[in-house]
Amino acid sequence: MTEIPTFVSHLECSYTGKEYPADQLHGLSDAGKPLLVRYDLQALARSVSKEEIRNRAPEFWRYREFLPIRKSENVVRLGELMTPILPANKLRKKYNCGEILIKDEGRLPTGSFKARGLALAVAMAKELGITRMAMPTNGNAGAALAAYCSAADIETFVFCPEDTPKVNIEEIAFQGAHTFLANGYINDCGRIVGEGKEIMQWFDASTLKEPYRIEGKKTMGLELAEQLGWTVPDVIMYPTGGGTGLIGMWKAFAELEEIGWIGSKRPRMIAVQAEGCAPIVKAFEEGTRHAAPWVDASTIASGIRVPAAVGDFLILDAVRESDGFAVAVSDNAIMQTHKECATEEGILMCPEGAATLAALIQELESGRIKSNESVMLFNCATGLKYPMNASHEKIDLGKDIDFEAISNSGK
Ligand SMILES: *Cc1c(COP(=O)(O)O)cnc(C)c1O
């Protein structure tokens, strides 16, 4: 049994500031808001240095001092590597703008950045003695939960809207979760998980309803800062559903500044949503701190089809404090940039990642993003999980091969 040095001091309600003891089972705070993990950052900074971290294995567990796990035996490892930052130089030239950097999270286990959050949440669940977990999901979170829970010997129940991408549903079921499709939205699935808590004795692993997924997603902020030589880009564009990643990165930057590893510069945080489901954009534009639930949500970017987010105020606070904004793009624009990035840069994004590129192009045009700003886009999942519409032609092996036709194909 190996003890991991941990510097957690307590948990704190993100809304009221009320403190809660660490090392106990928690869901939401008494106020019904997400709990944030707080650390003794000065002790953390005394125990580890940037140089020490640089020499560790290239995986997100290299930031273990910034994470809440106490015993390494509770950690399930599926290969949580650091994800590459890919410069999109052809697109930069085409749109005549500052640096475009794509953080490609599709390389993580289960093919999406949900692995970051769930690796942490499942390890903490194990540490706290949980044997059964449940979750509503649009796909990728359920897949990551299923994989990590199977490996950790935790039973899982996953509820998906019935139009969740088929590959996700199969992936979740194949990795050992009890898998259900419901004729509604993710919030309806969330209600099932909430209502079943007593009778099913499961732990609710919904986005932001437990404190540790944010800590896992926080590693994106730690990692990108380290990869950029302990600096941050001018702008981060993040496809926003529940907002865990945006909130997590914002927390990472605050913690890094507090220990003096980065300066006070923050990226402008841009929350990107789809026109068919844009509750955060509406709230941003109306100047409110909370977002009203979106009615009849619809978009091909299923990962950001979240009509209501528990952490709405945390997303909006970060966006506003950073001088960022929230913006919606159309499904048509998403489909265009999806293809454009695949053919121009050789990077097969997910539609949600493509939404950030669509938003970048749109906002360079509007002037809200300046042509001298460096911009980091988040590609959150491998494009291989999503439908790809592209044409191909047939060859009849019973005939002579017509190389002229082959040469002219696609014209
Ligand atoms: C979950 C998900 C998102 C949204 O992430 P949040 O941090 O929950 O806002 C975006 N894209 C993909 C592919 C996802 O799976």
Side-chain angles (χ1 to χ4, degrees):
M1 181 187 308
T2 325
E3 299 282 330
I4 305 175
T6 177
F7 300 92
V8 177
S9 53
H10 62 280
L11 272 55
E12 184 183 292
C13 172
S14 56
Y15 199 63
T16 64
K18 181 176 168 186
E19 295 192 7
Y20 296 75
D23 303 309
Q24 292 180 7
L25 209 52
H26 292 291
L28 291 170
S29 73
D30 297 339
K33 302 295 180 200
L35 287 171
L36 299 175
V37 182
R38 295 300 182 200
Y39 299 82
D40 179 349
L41 290 169
Q42 297 317 320
L44 185 162
R46 282 193 300 274
S47 91
V48 69
S49 64
K50 293 176 184 176
E51 289 66 38
E52 230 176 301
I53 286 182
R54 189 173 55 216
N55 292 325
R56 290 179 180 170
E59 53 172 18
F60 69 56
W61 294 110
R62 73 207 260 110
Y63 306 112
R64 56 185 176 258
E65 282 86 356
F66 292 83
L67 300 172
I69 316 285
R70 292 200 190 276
K71 295 195 173 74
S72 60
E73 70 203 14
N74 295 318
V75 172
V76 167
R77 285 171 188 265
L78 298 175
E80 294 76 20
L81 44 74
M82 294 172 85
T83 64
I85 295 175
L86 309 170
N89 291 329
K90 284 173 73 187
L91 291 173
R92 175 186 186 173
K93 237 189 193 147
K94 183 166 170 186
Y95 294 104
N96 190 25
C97 59
E99 205 165 19
I100 305 178
L101 302 168
I102 301 178
K103 182 106 173 107
D104 191 4
E105 296 280 299
R107 319 290 180 100
L108 285 159
T110 71
S112 87
F113 68 0
K114 292 295 193 298
R116 292 185 190 263
L118 273 312
L120 261 290
V122 170
M124 284 306 292
K126 200 167 175 206
E127 200 151 283
L128 295 167
I130 291 168
T131 54
R132 218 179 215 203
M133 292 173 89
M135 177 195 275
T137 180
N138 281 321
N140 288 323
L145 181 74
Y148 282 96
C149 279
S150 288
D153 286 326
I154 293 175
E155 190 181 22
T156 45
F157 295 79
V158 173
F159 301 87
C160 315
E162 63 188 352
D163 55 353
T164 299
K166 189 163 167 280
V167 61
N168 283 133
I169 297 165
E170 287 171 351
E171 186 186 5
I172 295 165
F174 199 75
Q175 293 231 260
H178 304 270
T179 310
F180 303 87
L181 302 190
N183 53 343
Y185 295 106
I186 188 164
N187 302 66
D188 301 306
C189 294
R191 189 169 49 80
I192 303 172
V193 172
E195 280 180 17
K197 263 199 256 184
E198 291 282 300
I199 187 161
M200 297 298 293
Q201 292 292 303
W202 58 39
F203 183 73
D204 185 347
S206 303
T207 306
L208 299 180
K209 288 190 183 167
E210 60 76 56
Y212 303 110
R213 280 171 68 184
I214 293 185
E215 295 304 296
K217 286 272 192 92
K218 185 178 84 177
T219 61
M220 292 192 294
L222 304 173
E223 187 175 301
L224 77 86
E226 185 185 7
Q227 286 172 313
L228 299 179
W230 300 106
T231 65
V232 295
D234 296 328
V235 176
I236 287 181
M237 305 192 80
Y238 186 81
T240 306
T244 328
L246 193 149
I247 297 165
M249 284 191 279
W250 193 242
K251 187 169 186 284
F253 300 143
E255 291 175 358
L256 288 174
E257 185 187 350
E258 200 169 320
I259 59 172
W261 287 17
I262 62 170
S264 60
K265 178 187 163 181
R266 290 285 191 283
R268 297 209 290 139
M269 304 297 284
I270 317 289
V272 177
Q273 299 199 302
E275 281 177 359
C277 183
I280 299 296
V281 179
K282 185 160 182 284
F284 176 78
E285 283 169 359
E286 290 174 353
T288 58
R289 193 165 182 229
H290 292 279
W294 193 267
V295 181
D296 293 333
S298 143
T299 168
I300 53 162
S302 48
I304 52 175
R305 200 181 54 162
V306 179
V310 209
D312 52 0
F313 64 103
L314 295 172
I315 303 168
L316 287 156
D317 286 355
V319 163
R320 289 184 175 124
E321 277 172 40
S322 71
D323 193 28
F325 54 88
V327 59
V329 293
S330 70
D331 275 10
N332 264 336
I334 293 174
M335 284 188 278
Q336 267 177 34
T337 49
H338 196 202
K339 186 90 203 316
E340 187 176 351
C341 195
T343 51
E344 298 268 338
E345 295 289 350
I347 301 172
L348 187 57
M349 295 214 265
C350 58
E352 297 80 1
T356 64
L357 177 57
L360 171 61
I361 296 167
Q362 180 178 305
E363 297 307 323
L364 282 166
E365 181 93 351
S366 78
R368 281 202 289 185
I369 293 178
K370 306 274 175 289
S371 60
N372 61 358
E373 288 183 299
S374 62
V375 178
M376 182 173 286
L377 308 179
F378 268 82
N379 181 47
C380 311
T382 168
L384 290 172
K385 290 199 191 193
Y386 300 83
M388 287 166 258
N389 297 317
S391 59
H392 48 77
E393 294 174 33
K394 292 211 163 116
I395 284 183
D396 181 353
L397 290 172
K399 293 182 183 157
D400 287 345
I401 297 177
D402 181 349
F403 286 105
E404 199 180 328
I406 288 175
S407 171
N408 289 327
S409 67
K411 284 190 185 157

